[in-house]
Structures are given as C-alpha cells and as structure tokens.
Amino acid sequence: MKNKTLLSVLATVLVMAITGGCAGKQAPGQDGEATASGTKWIELDGIKALWIKDNEGTRMMQAELFAEDAPQGLIDSLGLQDGIPASVSTFLVESGGIKILFDTGLGTPGSGLLKALGEEGISPDSIKYIYLTHFHGDHIGGMLKNDSAVFPNAQVYASGIEYDAWMNMPAEENALVVKTMEAYKDNLHLFEFGDTLPGNVVAVDAVGHTPGHTAFQAGRLLVIGDLVHGAALQLEYLEICASYDMDKEQAVKTRIRLLQYAKDSGLTMAGMHLPEPAFR
C-alpha cells in the first residue's frame, strides 16, 4: 500500500481520539434495548433508527480477510484468532417524516430483514424509499426474490458512480447487480455525492470499498456502510483493510476522514458490519 507509513501515523493519532469519542463510548441517544430477534431502536434529535440484524446466528469476520495488512502476530496479540465480531445489518430510519430502508441484507432464507419489518408492522409493499450504500450482494441481495422485486413500491437511490462502475464490469461479476437494477429500473434514482435526498438525508462520499461507496447522514446519524468490516481490529489500526475493499489506499483515507468527521460532529454511526447492535 502506498504511503502506508504516513497513513499509519495518521491512523494512530485518530484512534487515540476515537477511543475517547464516538467509537469508544455508547453514543448519545442509544436508549433502546436490543431484542432477542436482533433489532434495536435509537432516537437522535428527532431521527429514529432501527437496527436490523440480517444474518443468522453469530457473525465473525475471519482474520484471513485482513491477512495482507494484519500479520498473524498482531491478530494473536489482540486475541482475534477465532475471528472478529461483526454483523450483516440493515437500518430503517425515520427522517423528515418518511421511513427509509438503508440496504437490504443478504436475501437468504435465514435473513432477518423481512421478519423484523413484519414485527414492526411494516410490509415490503409499504417501503417507499431504499438508499443503497453500494452494490455488494450482502447489501442488495434482499431486493429480489425469484427474480422479482421484494419492495415493488420503493424508490431506490444509489450513487451514479457506483451504478456506472458496476454496469461496466464483466458479466460474471455483475449479474446480480444487473438483474436487480433491471427489476427496479422504473423507480431508480442516481445521485451525486453531496446531494440531499428525500428525508433530508445527505449522500456522503465514502469511496474506496467500492467505486461509489456512499455514507448517508440524517441529522446526528451517519450510516457508514462498509467503512469498517472488523471493528475490533480496524478501529485500533485504521490502515488495515479487508480483502473486500476494491481500492485499499482510498478506503484507508476515507475511513480516517469519516471517523474523524463523526467524532468532530458528535455523530452516531450505523455500520452494516459493526458488531451487533451495530450502532457506535
């Protein structure tokens, strides 16, 4: 990785700040209790957010996913030999008078998204807005069932950069994306970073993990997508990337920038792979 030494120094400085700030303490407004089925509500100055656990059982990120940047000695010293606690999460956010679903999880038979929505009295037909952080399968997989739209009335918002990048990938890499975008083509909206979307949600540049990876800010809530895959490792060593990151150098810069922004702004982060319940 280019400039790794400089990034390591910057990361070390930021970690010292983060562990005393939003990443090291329970964030303000986290007044709900996580349920046994894998949900938790929080409220932040009028913004309500529901964490939904989509994965079955316990989710661990294997240390091998970070092997290029994290030597085994470091993994051992942190006691992470058996994996790094994580989750596959989605979030339902009430902002500006509307409900927005951020990502849709895996879409496997054991996925928890639809069950959790049902427990809240929310049917798939009633979901009016879906905002996508990026196009990996554990984020868009829940949008289709038997090649049909699970959320037929949803207006889908995605980064134009992300859309163009995936549409230009080889067919063997983007088959799910093409099929999903086709199913929602009449309700698909492409945004630019900095745009304010319905619900007063701002699309934030979070590129690196994927070409158009997006974070979203609603008031004091920052949905960070896959900014962090293994918190117990990466929040100690921000320069370490998972193999999933498509542009590792940019992913590190983005991680440093957004974590600093969250700390400086007093934001609560909602991460799709933070350990459950996935607020920090």
Side-chain angles (χ1 to χ4, degrees):
M1 182 184 298
K2 297 179 181 178
N3 300 322
K4 187 171 182 179
T5 301
L6 175 59
L7 289 172
S8 297
V9 172
L10 292 172
T12 300
V13 172
L14 180 54
V15 165
M16 293 174 65
I18 291 172
T19 54
C22 65
K25 298 179 181 178
Q26 184 182 31
Q30 293 192 16
D31 49 6
E33 294 294 330
T35 67
S37 60
T39 60
K40 178 178 178 176
W41 279 104
I42 67 170
E43 186 167 359
L44 300 161
D45 297 340
I47 304 295
K48 294 181 65 178
L50 175 68
W51 163 67
I52 299 173
K53 175 183 173 180
D54 190 63
N55 61 283
E56 294 184 270
T58 300
R59 179 79 170 188
M60 302 289 280
M61 290 288 181
Q62 296 305 307
E64 289 80 4
L65 296 172
F66 306 89
E68 184 175 332
D69 296 326
Q72 189 61 44
L74 175 60
I75 296 295
D76 293 344
S77 71
L78 296 172
L80 300 174
Q81 301 92 325
D82 296 330
I84 303 159
S87 68
V88 176
S89 296
T90 68
F91 298 89
L92 183 72
V93 176
E94 296 183 15
S95 176
I98 65 173
K99 292 184 175 69
I100 305 157
L101 182 62
F102 289 84
D103 291 350
T104 64
L106 293 156
T108 59
S111 290
L113 173 59
L114 294 183
K115 179 181 177 181
L117 291 176
E119 291 175 351
E120 295 292 326
I122 299 170
S123 69
D125 289 353
S126 70
I127 295 293
K128 301 300 184 184
Y129 296 93
I130 296 175
Y131 294 174
L132 298 174
T133 62
H134 63 294
F135 288 176
H136 279 157
D138 54 338
H139 298 261
I140 67 170
M143 295 176 72
L144 293 181
K145 184 176 182 180
N146 299 325
D147 294 341
S148 296
V150 172
F151 306 98
N153 299 317
Q155 302 297 313
V156 177
Y157 287 76
S159 159
I161 295 173
E162 183 79 354
Y163 179 89
D164 290 343
W166 281 88
M167 287 302 171
N168 286 299
M169 290 182 188
E172 62 269 19
E173 297 179 21
N174 71 357
L176 175 62
V177 172
V178 170
K179 187 184 297 184
T180 303
M181 295 302 110
E182 177 65 21
Y184 288 86
K185 64 181 180 180
D186 292 336
N187 294 334
L188 180 63
H189 309 269
L190 302 179
F191 57 73
E192 297 181 357
F193 296 134
D195 285 353
T196 299
L197 310 181
N200 297 318
V201 176
V202 178
V204 179
D205 179 346
V207 300
H209 176 57
T210 63
H213 186 237
T214 306
F216 296 95
Q217 184 174 354
R220 290 200 295 115
L221 181 73
L222 185 66
V223 178
I224 62 171
D226 284 11
L227 188 72
V228 174
H229 289 87
L233 174 63
Q234 290 180 288
L235 291 183
E236 291 292 330
Y237 299 91
L238 302 185
E239 74 277 16
I240 291 176
C241 286
S243 59
Y244 301 127
D245 289 333
M246 298 172 76
D247 182 338
K248 291 187 175 183
E249 181 177 357
Q250 185 58 52
V252 172
K253 293 177 180 178
T254 295
R255 186 156 45 248
I256 292 172
R257 171 173 55 84
L258 289 186
L259 290 176
Q260 183 68 62
Y261 174 67
K263 175 187 178 294
D264 291 345
S265 303
L267 305 181
T268 291
M269 296 185 293
M272 278 59 182
H273 296 304
L274 289 177
E276 56 185 79
F279 293 112
R280 182 175 289 271

